[in-house]
Amino acid sequence: MRSIFNFILFTSVYIALCALLMIWQTNQLLGLHYPQPTFYLFVFFSTICSYNFHWYLTPSSYSSSERLQWSDRYRDLMLMLCGVGLAGAAFYFWPLRSHWLVLSGGALLTFLYSAPKVPYKPFTWLRRIAIGKTLFLTAVWTYVTTLLPAFVANQGLSWPLVLFTLHRFLLIYAICILFDFRDIESDKKEGIRSLITYLDYKSLNRLYYMTLLLSAVSAAMLGRYTTIPVIVTLLAPVVMTGLLTKKAHHNPSDYLFYFGLDGLMALSALLHLVLVSLFP
């Protein structure tokens, strides 16, 4: 039981740290000033809560995922971590309460992603919304790690913010499409619709590569506002995602998806951190 608890806790913390790294990168690129430690802790606990809430609602009977089989046997642990995350998020929300409106936007998007899994009306009707699953997840990650820090810092829209948001949204969306490829059978059994249910393989592949290309273009356009090494860090996960595409289509490994592909969302932030550490 201890090893299962450690696995669930590790994956939760891993995802939360990815989110914090991405927020740090946003702060660096846009030069944001606000109570960052409090905001980091708020997002950390919120991520722990939402991540475990989502997987608590995900039935293992619809998937052969080893990670889901493990989680299904210890659902009480996920519920406990969800409660801890909720308590921490509420505690660190209070100092940020003046920004309640923009913070509520993130909470709403997060809930909409998991809501179709709640087995009660009116939540189940969300399963019928085409491409909702993919867009909600992409919107959550982009909003919380990119737009929300800018809003809390009271920074208005600017070209760097728009281009960076576009780059990150498109990269995450491409990664989510790979997850849709993998989850097509389980989504059909749950009655959850996604883009992959509507497009054939060739059309979806075309959309996927076009999304990656536009992510790279929007990153390159940031060259007017930052340095070339930073642009290289932004392009790195785009290239890595493209190189891992074939492997992701043929290998449904939980480690590849939940650690590898999820980690690609924060890869540019990690490389940026290394860059700043080596050349302050």
Side-chain angles (χ1 to χ4, degrees):
M1 180 173 176
R2 180 177 297 176
S3 62
I4 296 299
F5 176 76
N6 289 341
F7 176 79
I8 295 172
L9 180 61
F10 177 79
T11 54
S12 302
V13 171
Y14 175 74
I15 292 297
L17 290 179
C18 284
L20 299 191
L21 261 176
M22 294 165 75
I23 293 169
W24 174 86
Q25 184 183 33
T26 300
N27 294 336
Q28 289 289 308
L29 281 174
L30 302 177
L32 302 180
H33 301 285
Y34 60 97
Q36 292 181 12
T38 302
F39 185 75
Y40 284 140
L41 288 167
F42 170 75
V43 172
F44 177 83
F45 283 107
S46 297
T47 306
I48 296 291
C49 175
S50 63
Y51 183 81
N52 283 282
F53 176 69
H54 179 82
W55 287 109
Y56 177 80
L57 294 172
T58 303
S60 65
S61 56
Y62 292 137
S63 174
S64 59
S65 165
E66 188 177 4
R67 187 246 187 272
L68 276 178
Q69 300 299 326
W70 288 340
S71 300
D72 194 50
R73 293 195 297 271
Y74 298 96
R75 302 177 76 80
D76 289 345
L77 293 176
M78 286 186 291
L79 198 58
M80 181 190 74
L81 288 172
C82 181
V84 170
L86 181 61
F91 180 83
Y92 287 104
F93 168 80
W94 188 249
L96 300 168
R97 62 189 181 279
S98 60
H99 304 284
W100 67 270
L101 185 59
V102 293
L103 292 173
S104 299
L108 177 62
L109 285 172
T110 302
F111 179 73
L112 284 175
Y113 172 60
S114 298
K117 293 181 178 290
V118 178
Y120 300 104
K121 292 182 178 180
F123 304 113
T124 51
W125 73 269
L126 288 170
R127 299 176 184 177
R128 303 192 186 107
I129 299 178
I131 68 174
K133 170 192 171 187
T134 307
L135 282 179
F136 284 147
L137 181 58
T138 306
V140 167
W141 274 91
T142 306
Y143 182 81
V144 171
T145 64
T146 315
L147 290 171
L148 187 55
F151 292 157
V152 171
N154 297 313
Q155 182 175 112
L157 287 179
S158 62
W159 277 114
L161 175 59
V162 170
L163 290 171
F164 185 51
T165 300
L166 187 61
H167 158 72
R168 185 167 275 175
F169 179 90
L170 292 166
L171 174 62
I172 296 172
Y173 189 61
I175 293 172
C176 286
I177 289 176
L178 292 179
F179 274 85
D180 277 350
F181 266 116
R182 192 191 77 152
D183 297 339
I184 182 170
E185 293 303 325
S186 59
D187 282 350
K188 284 181 178 178
K189 290 176 183 177
E190 284 189 75
I192 296 176
R193 295 180 180 178
S194 62
L195 197 61
I196 198 169
T197 355
Y198 288 85
L199 297 178
D200 57 46
Y201 182 84
K202 185 176 180 181
S203 299
L204 194 63
N205 247 355
R206 189 181 297 117
L207 173 65
Y208 169 75
Y209 284 110
M210 181 59 68
T211 302
L212 277 181
L213 176 62
L214 291 175
S215 178
V217 169
S218 55
M221 291 176 68
L222 276 165
R224 291 184 57 189
Y225 307 100
T226 187
T227 63
I228 296 300
V230 170
I231 299 301
V232 171
T233 66
L234 295 176
L235 293 174
V238 179
V239 174
M240 286 293 296
T241 302
L243 292 175
L244 285 172
T245 301
K246 184 176 291 188
K247 187 175 182 63
H249 283 179
H250 296 93
N251 181 7
S253 164
D254 287 337
Y255 295 100
L256 171 62
F257 279 82
Y258 297 121
F259 295 105
L261 293 178
D262 275 346
L264 284 178
M265 295 189 299
L267 177 60
S268 65
L270 179 61
L271 294 175
H272 193 162
L273 179 61
V274 171
L275 187 65
V276 169
S277 302
L278 293 178
F279 307 100

